[in-house]
Amino acid sequence: MEERPNNSENRTSQNPAVEESLNRKTKETEGSSEISRPKIGDSRPAPDSTEPQSSTRKKRKRRRGRSDSRTPKPDQAISVELDDETLKKRRGRERKGKAVGRYTMVVHVEGNVTQIAMLEGRSLIEFYVSRPSDDVSEIHGNIYMGRVENVLPGMEAAFVDIGTPKNAVLYQSDLISNSSTKGNQAVRIEDAIKNKETILCQVTKNPIAHKGARLTQEISLAGRFVVLVPNSETFGISKRLPEKERKRLRQILEKAKPSEHGVIVRTAAQHITKEEIEQDVTRLVSQWVNIQEQSNKSSSPTLLYREPEMPFRIIREEFNKEYRSVVIDDQQLYEEAKTYLATVAPALADRIEYHDTVNSDVELFERFYIEEQLAKALDSKVWLPSGGSLIIEHTEALTVIDVNTGKNVGTSSLEETVYKNNLEAAKEVAHQLRLRDIGGIIVIDFVDMEKAKHRDDVVKVFKAELARDKTRTQVFGISELGLVEMTRKRIGEGLSQTFTKAQE
């Protein structure tokens, strides 16, 4: 993908930066010729290495009609014909002819900035900002031919030039020679790579603040149903799938898996046919061949493959029958998404909706109350339903969340009041971590509870809520001081930085 204090109505209007950023309209840009850019799906390589990687591509305008130039390329997915019975099984629930689902994806395009809001019911749970031409900060998943600038044996790491302002870092554990080894069997980084050597690498973490991107030599290419791990023996199936389905997919994978590459079957492959999995594998292998061909004729540092634009990545990674709809207010992006979804999930293709801002009474984000939820998400204070509150503070080293009872005076006893307040806080903290995309070390100061059962219940509820977050977390129990220590994998810069950069 955040609440405020009592006077949040006043504070929203008192924050000019938020007001300006939420309402500002970016000028449409015309004129520059369009360079080949990543298409829908998962299989578009980066532009030819001889072309400049600057923002010379034509920026997407607010309103555009259909374009004949957007026809699918041969390396894009070609849909497998499915019978009516299979399509019926994959369709989500409907009520009175309308789709029913827990989630909604809202995509707002303004100038060259795409803002994506994920809603659960009416509640904002995740928020992303994407610039199509951003090859500096939003590079997770991109593949590069990099040049080693400095090997540091004492840090078990090397700095690699991939063409970004800050050199990326490759740790010893991420060397391809160490991807399947353990402990003392690992190859030392100074023995594996040398200064000025060119290496093929992939970004696993975007650059954050003063830190460069993190790299790995173990390349992986994600499709809708499988992940291809080139030159590997990896063989895996998502553990989220039932055992019976895992057994069926294992039999399919044994025949579909290329002998020289590894394959991991994703959760989205549940109930998917053999032909669809084989097609996904074939397409990813072809994609890898294209990347290899580019790497053989490219000098370093060079971008070899760029991940598709964010709306398509989210559709590829997450969209399923639990989603009620994807609502888009840009005509061209709507057509592209509709075509892509009809290819990878034809049973859900009718869940793409176009919001015509010109002929509508309200803007898209107003329609779903996203603007006011974003304003609250940028505040440090979050109110709980019963009157308690959270205070969220960031430091260089960690994030601290303080839980207060505030106006929650309870009805029976202090212990019971504190217990219920902490249960509310546990759910809200999990929600805030996801919405604000808070990563790294996090310390939560719950209100002290006397009973061990109450402490255990709070941690249990907290972990259950975190389980719904796709980002990896690790939680420890409540200490004697009433503190919960946890970590959440840091992938992006967080909501505040992301939102600020969108306005620059």
Side-chain angles (χ1 to χ4, degrees):
M1 189 179 302
E2 290 25 60
E3 329 297 291
R4 282 183 180 240
N6 258 5
N7 56 352
S8 59
E9 304 92 291
N10 298 330
R11 296 177 72 176
T12 302
S13 61
Q14 292 170 7
N15 192 333
V18 173
E19 282 292 287
E20 181 183 355
S21 61
L22 289 173
N23 300 321
R24 185 169 60 168
K25 302 296 182 184
T26 306
K27 283 189 174 182
E28 298 178 355
T29 305
E30 298 181 356
S32 58
S33 59
E34 186 171 5
I35 294 176
S36 175
R37 65 176 181 176
K39 300 281 187 177
I40 55 180
D42 342 291
S43 53
R44 286 285 297 171
D48 188 84
S49 59
T50 59
E51 296 183 6
Q53 296 175 22
S54 62
S55 57
T56 56
R57 293 177 297 157
K58 188 175 182 179
K59 296 179 180 180
R60 176 181 282 125
K61 299 180 183 179
R62 279 293 310 261
R63 297 283 160 248
R64 289 177 293 190
R66 289 176 182 266
S67 172
D68 294 335
S69 65
R70 312 306 277 173
T71 52
K73 301 294 182 182
D75 60 345
Q76 289 180 271
I78 301 174
S79 59
V80 174
E81 292 294 329
L82 302 174
D83 56 58
D84 293 339
E85 184 179 350
T86 303
L87 286 173
K88 185 177 180 181
K89 287 180 180 179
R90 295 189 190 176
R91 285 196 183 97
R93 293 175 293 131
E94 293 185 351
R95 186 180 299 131
K96 296 181 180 180
K98 293 186 178 181
V100 177
R102 174 183 293 181
Y103 305 106
T104 303
M105 177 176 165
V106 181
V107 184
H108 169 56
V109 179
E110 187 171 333
N112 69 329
V113 177
T114 303
Q115 300 180 51
I116 305 166
M118 310 293 289
L119 303 174
E120 183 174 3
R122 294 185 179 183
S123 177
L124 182 66
I125 57 173
E126 292 179 2
F127 183 77
Y128 306 95
V129 175
S130 172
R131 291 178 181 268
S133 60
D134 188 352
D135 287 332
V136 175
S137 61
E138 192 182 302
I139 58 176
H140 184 273
N142 288 1
I143 299 174
Y144 295 85
M145 178 63 74
R147 181 176 62 242
V148 179
E149 291 295 317
N150 194 9
V151 178
L152 304 174
M155 299 297 294
E156 296 185 352
F159 287 105
V160 181
D161 182 6
I162 58 173
T164 53
K166 295 173 184 174
N167 287 341
V169 62
L170 174 67
Y171 288 102
Q172 183 170 290
S173 58
D174 294 320
L175 294 172
I176 194 167
S177 54
N178 289 336
S179 59
S180 58
T181 60
K182 298 180 181 179
N184 53 14
Q185 298 177 340
V187 176
R188 295 285 300 178
I189 193 164
E190 64 270 27
D191 297 329
I193 57 176
K194 305 297 181 182
N195 286 346
K196 307 306 177 184
E197 180 181 345
T198 58
I199 59 172
L200 190 65
C201 51
Q202 184 173 31
V203 176
T204 58
K205 184 185 291 186
N206 284 324
I208 301 173
H210 60 279
K211 298 180 180 179
R214 180 166 178 174
L215 303 175
T216 181
Q217 280 192 301
E218 186 174 31
I219 309 297
S220 62
L221 299 173
R224 169 69 173 172
F225 308 119
V226 303
V227 175
L228 183 76
V229 187
N231 305 319
S232 169
E233 298 179 357
T234 302
F235 185 102
I237 299 174
S238 171
K239 294 182 179 178
R240 295 184 180 182
L241 295 172
E243 186 56 38
K244 184 177 179 181
E245 180 67 6
R246 284 166 55 86
K247 185 177 180 180
R248 182 187 75 88
L249 291 171
R250 189 176 292 110
Q251 293 174 345
I252 295 174
L253 193 58
E254 285 174 351
K255 297 179 180 179
K257 178 184 175 298
S259 58
E260 68 275 24
H261 302 310
V263 174
I264 301 171
V265 178
R266 315 184 72 167
T267 308
Q270 187 169 12
H271 306 312
I272 295 302
T273 64
K274 172 186 174 184
E275 291 74 20
E276 288 172 293
I277 291 179
E278 289 177 342
Q279 173 194 278
D280 215 23
V281 171
T282 301
R283 181 164 49 83
L284 291 174
V285 170
S286 175
Q287 182 177 321
W288 171 242
V289 171
N290 289 338
I291 292 172
Q292 281 187 307
E293 290 175 353
Q294 278 193 302
S295 68
N296 292 334
K297 61 183 181 181
S298 299
S299 59
S300 60
T302 304
L303 173 63
L304 300 177
Y305 168 77
R306 181 192 290 111
E307 273 281 87
E309 292 181 29
M310 189 170 289
F312 304 109
R313 292 206 304 271
I314 295 177
I315 290 174
R316 180 188 71 190
E317 305 291 330
E318 299 185 27
F319 194 77
N320 55 40
K321 61 184 179 181
E322 290 297 318
Y323 277 77
R324 177 182 302 174
S325 62
V326 176
V327 188
I328 304 173
D329 67 357
D330 179 83
Q331 183 69 45
Q332 181 170 334
L333 183 60
Y334 163 74
E335 296 293 346
E336 293 175 357
K338 187 177 181 180
T339 301
Y340 177 54
L341 195 56
T343 301
V344 300
L348 304 175
D350 58 352
R351 299 197 175 198
I352 293 279
E353 176 186 336
Y354 175 59
H355 176 89
D356 188 352
T357 304
V358 175
N359 298 316
S360 178
D361 295 334
V362 295
E363 296 286 338
L364 180 58
F365 273 18
E366 275 186 62
R367 172 182 163 187
F368 289 95
Y369 306 100
I370 292 170
E371 292 186 352
E372 59 188 70
Q373 293 190 65
L374 276 175
K376 292 179 179 180
L378 296 171
D379 195 5
S380 62
K381 191 168 188 177
V382 180
W383 288 98
L384 301 175
S386 297
S389 65
L390 307 176
I391 302 294
I392 303 175
E393 297 289 349
H394 302 279
T395 71
E396 182 72 19
L398 48 79
T399 299
V400 179
I401 302 177
D402 186 31
V403 180
N404 301 306
T405 53
K407 298 178 181 180
N408 184 3
V409 295
T411 55
S412 56
S413 67
L414 176 60
E415 176 69 15
E416 196 65 23
T417 300
V418 168
Y419 172 56
K420 291 181 178 179
N421 188 82
N422 283 342
L423 287 177
E424 286 184 356
K427 295 178 181 179
E428 189 59 36
V429 167
H431 174 223
Q432 295 294 325
L433 294 179
R434 186 176 179 185
L435 174 57
R436 301 183 186 219
D437 194 20
I438 298 173
I441 299 173
I442 302 159
V443 176
I444 307 158
D445 183 11
F446 286 100
V447 184
D448 291 342
M449 294 171 287
E450 297 292 334
K451 296 183 179 180
K453 182 182 182 303
H454 287 175
R455 293 195 293 269
D456 293 341
D457 288 347
V458 168
V459 173
K460 184 177 180 181
V461 168
F462 185 43
K463 289 182 176 180
E465 291 294 316
L466 287 174
R468 301 168 61 187
D469 185 356
K470 63 181 180 292
T471 304
R472 187 172 68 247
T473 58
Q474 186 176 13
V475 181
F476 302 93
I478 297 181
S479 70
E480 294 182 1
L481 295 175
L483 304 176
V484 170
E485 298 173 358
M486 66 168 292
T487 60
R488 185 175 184 270
K489 185 177 180 181
R490 191 194 301 271
I491 297 176
E493 293 182 302
L495 177 64
S496 179
Q497 287 292 326
T498 299
F499 196 81
T500 301
K501 281 191 174 183
Q503 318 312 318
E504 295 176 352

